[in-house]
């Protein structure tokens, strides 16, 4: 330490610098505050490695392996892209893990100043505590938004550039982009394939079905007069295939060889929305509790346990509360061509609710947790 | 206030900004525990002010209340003439403080931590980072992670964090903790240089010797009350004086002194001499009279030295008296 004045600003005599010039009582954070908060979060090496691994590493490694396998043995391993891969990576991996990593980052941003003793230094600057809280939001969103965007961009790139040349529906190669009548015509021409491979809910007229015994080629059969299986006539088979195609068209229509630009944009925005919700709620919860571990655990429980239960079940007298869960609301905003984010075996278990309700629920969570987190920060002893 | 004010009585001050810190009837309790009990504290600008007290006396709580880290239950206060918490942002703009052990983000370097803090201050604060680091002797280690810093280095970084705001008032809570002797010497010099620049430094410390060497005035707090307050020379002037006498035949010397009408409070035999406690304000003629009595009585006097009570002994005297009456 040097006692003598060194010529720098701190050694000068107390100046008459107007303290009001920097408006530190304002609740609006400065760009500099946001930038340094961004730096503080970005330099958490362990946390950042984890976030990058989950949001970018997992999809990259998975898709790289599929690309490699397809390149080595194209007949055994299908293309790396396609409908199933795109939907699994976006509505499965990036949706769920994106929320969890965003929540982890939010809980970290909301609690570390207190845990690491910096909160006191920051409060002593005289800066508005609300501004200190709000500075974390753009800083954290810049990080998590970028990571999710990069991970999703990789998925999109692989699904577009390594797309299959034909559409695979229920394991059957089907021409892509058929109209309903086109699909029915195609089904009539490939009756045995359709009857034996396409899923159908209900009973087919004429009791037509598939005889798929081992060692024999699959064939279309029906019940004879004495109950035994007999080969169906060509007209019976065509009628059955047309009936199945008619029912399957809605499901077929959603499938694609590669995602359209519109779907990719919608999916990207939906994933960013989910990550934003995860971060803001995590930030508020972390600030409220003042410590990270418990907050992260609670956020994981919300995403992995509570939300799937709320999406799939109908609890009497509790439906509106279920609709109030943010995961149910974000699930409602899922792009139409994607399967249910929380699984469901092809069925859509989602609670019925209006889009307006879903948006209101999401806004309520974002605003509510921001108020709670900032309130705790403003009233907490430092 | 129960003792001498540093400058004047509270009634003479109307919050005109001549005081760096002013509190009136400040109170804070945690449940049934009274941490601050109606404290009136006046700290003038441009001095080094020691804030002393036993553990749990309420020193850190008062600092936390002043800085807005926790809310007061009653009373008023102002920093640099600005009422707090009403104009807290304006007041704290010119205040730097270390409260308890300075802690920072361990994964960031010292410089990056200061950047985070400078961003929350005025725009010019960022330009003061290097000068602040240099002033506390941390420029060479500024780009190391704080997790690798020693306690003393974190203390220095804490002071640097105070300086980036170009403060008029620095409040340092135990700034000597973790510093080696050279570091303590540097810190003392730096505090004096800050005061020489016209800044006010409030120093809370247990190291009374350091406080006595560094500060112009002190306040002693105990059980939430300020029990003494004033310039150090004035406070010590009211304390007793000890006359250390090295002589032959200490027992006979004690008898000789006792037989005189000298106003000695106590006369103790200590090793090869006597320790004669005299009332405050005893004149030098009394020392000469002691020497004359002993020499006349045939006792060889090798050394005779008046010793003024130190801040530490005075502090112990004051606080132990309180303990006796409790």
């Amino acid at each position: 330490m040097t006692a003598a004045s060194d010529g720098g600003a701190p050694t000068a005599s107390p100046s008459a610098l107007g303290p009001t010039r920097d408006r530190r009582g304002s609740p609006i954070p400065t760009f500099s505050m946001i930038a340094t908060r961004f730096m503080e979060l970005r330099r958490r090496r362990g946390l950042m490695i984890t976030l990058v691994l989950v949001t970018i590493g997992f999809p990259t490694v998975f898709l790289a392996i599929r690309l490699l396998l397809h390149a080595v043995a194209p007949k055994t391993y299908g293309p790396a892209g396609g409908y199933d891969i795109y939907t699994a990576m976006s509505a499965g991996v990036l949706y769920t893990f994106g929320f969890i990593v965003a929540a982890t980052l939010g809980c970290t941003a909301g609690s570390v100043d207190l845990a690491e003793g910096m909160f006191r230094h920051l409060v002593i600057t005289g800066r508005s505590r609300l501004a200190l809280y709000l500075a974390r939001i753009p800083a954290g969103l810049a990080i998590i938004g970028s990571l999710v965007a990069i991970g999703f961009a990789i998925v999109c790139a692989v699904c577009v550039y390594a797309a299959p040349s034909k559409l695979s529906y229920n394991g059957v190669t089907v021409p892509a982009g058929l109209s309903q009548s086109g699909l029915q015509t195609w089904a009539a021409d490939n009756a045995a394939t359709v009857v034996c491979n396409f899923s159908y809910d209900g009973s087919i007229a004429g009791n037509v079905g598939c005889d798929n015994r081992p060692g024999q080629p699959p064939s279309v059969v029906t019940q004879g007069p004495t109950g035994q299986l007999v080969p169906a006539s060509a007209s019976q088979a065509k009628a059955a295939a047309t009936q199945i195609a008619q029912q399957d068209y809605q499901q077929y229509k959603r499938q694609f060889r590669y995602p359209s630009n519109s779907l990719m944009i919608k999916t990207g925005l939906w994933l960013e929305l989910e990550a934003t919700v995860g971060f803001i709620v995590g930030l508020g919860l972390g600030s409220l509790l003042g410590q990270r571990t418990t907050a992260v655990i609670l956020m994981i429980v919300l995403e992995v346990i509570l939300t799937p239960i709320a999406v799939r079940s109908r609890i009497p007298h509790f439906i509106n509360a279920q609709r109030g869960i943010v995961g149910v609301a974000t699930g409602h905003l899922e792009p139409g061509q994607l399967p249910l984010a929380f699984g469901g075996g092809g069925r859509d278990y989602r609670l019925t609710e209006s889009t307006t309700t879903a948006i209101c629920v999401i806004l309520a969570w974002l605003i509510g947790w921001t108020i709670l987190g900032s309130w705790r920060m403003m009233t907490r002893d430092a | 206030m129960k003792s001498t004010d540093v400058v004047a009585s509270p009634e003479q001050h109307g919050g005109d900004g001549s005081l760096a810190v002013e509190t009136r009837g400040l109170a804070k309790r945690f449940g049934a525990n009274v941490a601050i009990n109606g404290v009136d504290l006046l700290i003038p600008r441009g001095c080094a002010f020691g804030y002393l007290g036993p553990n749990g006396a309420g020193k850190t709580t008062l600092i936390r209340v002043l800085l807005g880290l926790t809310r007061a239950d009653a009373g008023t206060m102002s920093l640099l003439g600005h009422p707090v918490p009403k104009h807290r942002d304006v007041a704290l703009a010119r205040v730097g403080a270390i409260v308890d052990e300075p802690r920072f983000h361990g994964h960031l370097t010292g410089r990056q931590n200061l950047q985070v803090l400078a961003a929350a201050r005025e725009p010019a604060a960022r330009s003061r980072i290097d000068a602040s680091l240099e002033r506390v002797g941390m420029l060479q280690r500024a780009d190391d992670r704080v997790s690798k810093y020693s306690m003393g280095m974190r203390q220095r970084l804490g002071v640097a964090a105070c300086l980036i705001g170009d403060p008029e008032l620095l409040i340092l809570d135990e700034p000597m903790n973790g510093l080696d002797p050279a570091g303590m010497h540097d810190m003392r010099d730096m505090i004096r240089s800050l005061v020489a620049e016209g800044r006010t430094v409030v120093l809370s410390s247990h190291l009374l010797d350091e406080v006595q060497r560094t500060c112009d005035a002190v306040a002693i707090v105990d059980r939430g009350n300020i029990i003494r307050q004033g310039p150090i020379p004035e406070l010590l002037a009211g304390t007793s004086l000890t006359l250390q006498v090295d002589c032959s035949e200490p027992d006979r010397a004690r008898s000789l002194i006792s037989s005189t009408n000298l106003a000695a409070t106590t006369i103790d035999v200590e090793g090869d001499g006597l320790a004669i406690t005299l009332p405050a304000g005893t004149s030098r003629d009394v020392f000469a009279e002691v020497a004359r009595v002993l020499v006349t009585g045939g006792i060889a006097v090798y050394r005779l030295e008046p010793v003024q009570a130190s801040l530490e002994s005075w502090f112990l005297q004051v606080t132990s008296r309180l303990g006796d009456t409790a």
Side-chain angles (χ1 to χ4, degrees):
Chain A
M1 278 173 242
T2 53
S5 298
D6 296 314
T11 62
S13 60
S15 67
L17 175 72
T20 53
R21 205 169 49 180
D22 57 282
R23 298 173 60 198
R24 74 183 67 199
S26 166
I28 301 169
T30 63
F31 176 78
S32 181
M33 290 169 68
I34 296 168
T36 52
R37 178 55 56 183
F38 177 84
M39 173 195 71
E40 187 276 310
L41 289 171
R42 187 174 57 82
R43 289 187 182 273
R44 293 185 177 275
R45 197 176 296 173
L47 177 67
M48 291 310 295
I49 288 173
T50 306
L51 299 187
V52 170
L53 271 180
V54 173
T55 53
I56 300 174
F58 283 176
T60 303
V61 170
F62 176 76
L63 293 171
I65 290 172
R66 282 193 64 96
L67 284 167
L68 194 65
L69 290 174
H70 182 66
V72 172
K75 289 183 179 174
T76 309
Y77 299 100
Y83 174 83
D84 291 337
I85 299 300
Y86 178 80
T87 54
M89 296 306 291
S90 54
V93 174
L94 285 175
Y95 179 78
T96 303
F97 286 106
F99 179 90
I100 291 173
V101 297
T104 305
L105 186 69
C107 294
T108 303
S111 60
V112 287
D113 278 347
L114 196 68
E116 296 178 1
M118 275 294 272
F119 182 52
R120 183 173 294 169
H121 290 294
L122 290 166
V123 171
I124 290 170
T125 63
R127 179 65 65 178
S128 154
R129 292 192 187 197
L130 183 57
L132 293 173
Y133 182 86
L134 295 178
R136 303 166 184 196
I137 294 177
L141 288 181
I143 292 174
I144 198 65
S146 308
L147 292 177
V148 170
I150 292 170
F152 180 61
I154 291 169
V155 170
C156 289
V158 171
C159 287
V160 169
Y161 292 108
S165 56
K166 294 171 183 172
L167 181 65
S168 175
Y169 179 74
N170 282 342
V172 177
T173 300
V174 183
L178 294 175
S179 64
Q180 183 160 3
S181 60
L183 181 66
Q184 287 173 316
T185 304
W186 178 87
D189 295 341
N190 299 272
T193 304
V194 171
V195 172
C196 288
N197 291 283
F198 282 24
S199 58
Y200 187 79
D201 190 11
S203 60
I204 302 173
N207 284 331
V208 173
C210 180
D211 183 8
N212 200 12
R213 280 178 285 188
Q216 292 183 2
S219 61
V220 181
V221 295
T222 185
Q223 276 189 328
T226 57
Q228 79 282 17
L229 293 178
V230 296
S233 66
S235 60
Q236 280 180 312
K238 282 186 179 183
T242 304
Q243 187 181 349
I244 292 170
Q246 186 179 9
Q247 190 188 71
D248 274 26
Y249 181 70
Q250 291 304 319
Q251 186 68 21
Y252 161 82
K253 192 175 68 172
R254 296 168 62 181
Q255 301 209 359
F256 45 78
R257 286 195 300 123
Y258 55 87
S260 65
N261 290 340
S262 157
L263 178 62
M264 285 191 288
I265 291 170
K266 285 179 186 170
T267 309
L269 292 175
W270 178 64
L271 291 175
E272 293 289 1
L273 172 67
E274 179 72 353
T276 300
V277 169
F279 177 79
I280 300 281
V281 175
L283 180 67
L285 188 61
S287 177
L288 191 68
L289 298 180
Q291 55 128 323
R292 180 169 62 171
T293 309
T294 308
V296 171
I297 290 170
L298 289 174
M299 292 298 290
I300 292 174
V301 167
L302 171 69
E303 179 69 3
V304 176
I305 299 174
L306 287 182
T307 302
I309 290 173
V311 167
R312 289 163 173 244
S313 56
R314 304 284 188 277
I315 305 170
H317 313 297
F318 201 65
I319 297 292
N320 284 331
Q322 285 179 257
R323 291 190 180 109
I325 293 176
V326 71
V328 175
T330 53
H332 182 83
L333 299 181
E334 184 180 15
Q337 280 182 276
L338 298 183
L340 184 61
F342 298 99
R347 290 183 58 185
D348 190 344
Y349 288 95
R350 278 177 288 199
L351 290 169
T352 54
E353 64 179 326
S354 70
T355 302
T356 306
T357 304
I359 290 171
C360 288
V361 167
I362 292 169
L363 286 176
W365 275 71
L366 294 178
I367 295 169
W369 279 103
T370 300
I371 291 172
L372 271 178
S374 54
W375 165 79
R376 192 69 191 99
M377 186 157 178
M378 290 163 71
T379 55
R380 182 188 292 282
D381 280 359
Chain B
M1 197 170 306
K2 298 180 180 179
S3 182
T4 315
D5 293 336
V6 177
V7 184
S9 66
E11 291 72 24
Q12 289 177 273
H13 287 279
D16 57 358
S18 65
L19 296 173
V21 177
E22 180 179 8
T23 73
R24 290 172 190 274
L26 204 61
K28 173 73 179 176
R29 59 170 59 232
F30 299 101
N33 181 31
V34 179
I36 306 173
N37 189 12
V39 165
D40 294 339
L41 178 66
L42 302 176
I43 301 177
R45 288 178 185 249
C47 74
F49 191 92
Y51 192 59
L52 314 175
N55 288 333
K59 301 189 298 292
T60 301
T61 303
L62 178 63
I63 291 174
R64 283 159 52 83
V65 170
L66 282 175
L67 296 171
L69 302 179
T70 187
R71 291 164 190 263
D73 294 328
T76 60
M77 56 189 162
S78 68
L79 293 176
L80 301 169
H82 302 288
V84 177
K86 187 179 179 185
H87 293 145
R88 178 181 164 276
D89 56 331
V90 180
L92 291 186
R94 309 302 309 203
V95 174
I98 302 176
V99 185
D100 285 335
E101 174 192 349
R103 295 166 62 204
F104 296 91
H105 291 308
H107 66 289
L108 297 183
T109 66
R111 188 191 305 280
Q112 288 165 345
N113 271 288
L114 294 191
Q115 285 169 355
V116 171
L117 295 173
R121 289 190 172 272
E122 72 275 11
R126 193 179 175 89
S127 65
R128 300 189 195 110
I129 289 176
D130 276 357
S132 300
L133 286 165
E134 187 174 5
R135 188 159 192 188
V136 300
M138 286 293 293
L139 196 55
Q140 301 299 319
R141 301 291 304 272
D143 295 316
D144 291 352
R145 289 186 183 194
V146 168
S147 57
K148 294 178 181 174
Y149 283 6
S150 66
M151 174 71 178
M153 292 165 73
R154 287 203 301 275
Q155 286 284 8
R156 289 165 184 255
L157 188 63
V159 176
C162 296
L163 295 178
I164 60 172
D166 190 19
E168 288 181 48
L169 169 63
L170 285 101
I171 300 176
L172 307 176
D173 190 12
E174 304 287 355
M176 310 285 188
N177 277 0
L179 295 180
D180 56 23
M184 290 168 73
H185 180 269
D186 290 346
M187 177 70 83
R188 192 190 318 140
D189 286 352
M190 193 187 67
I191 290 172
R192 290 311 314 175
S193 72
L194 291 168
V195 173
E197 292 165 10
R199 304 177 203 269
T200 308
V201 179
V202 177
L203 185 68
S204 165
S205 178
H206 287 109
L207 302 173
L208 301 177
D209 184 46
E210 287 300 326
V211 170
Q212 187 168 8
R213 289 196 221 180
T214 310
C215 295
D216 306 304
V218 296
I220 292 191
V221 59
D222 193 40
R223 296 171 199 175
N225 292 296
I226 290 184
I227 54 174
R228 297 285 190 279
Q229 183 174 188
I232 292 175
E234 281 184 24
L235 291 173
L236 295 184
T239 61
S240 57
L241 182 75
T242 302
L243 191 63
Q244 295 285 353
V245 183
D246 283 357
C247 60
S248 61
E249 303 178 69
D251 290 327
R252 195 163 71 83
R254 180 184 179 186
S255 301
L256 279 172
I257 299 294
S258 301
S259 63
T260 66
N261 58 355
L262 288 173
T265 310
T266 59
I267 305 171
D268 298 318
V269 175
E270 288 184 357
D272 293 334
L274 298 178
I276 305 169
T277 306
L278 299 166
T282 302
S283 75
R284 296 201 307 166
D285 294 341
V286 176
F287 311 157
E289 178 63 12
V290 169
R292 192 193 63 74
V293 168
L294 294 178
V295 170
T296 307
I299 291 174
V301 177
Y302 307 115
R303 184 175 71 92
L304 190 145
E305 181 184 8
V307 179
Q308 182 70 51
S310 67
L311 184 63
E312 183 174 356
S313 62
W314 177 73
F315 175 84
L316 292 172
Q317 190 183 356
V318 171
T319 52
S320 65
R321 188 162 62 225
L322 284 172
D324 293 343
T325 56

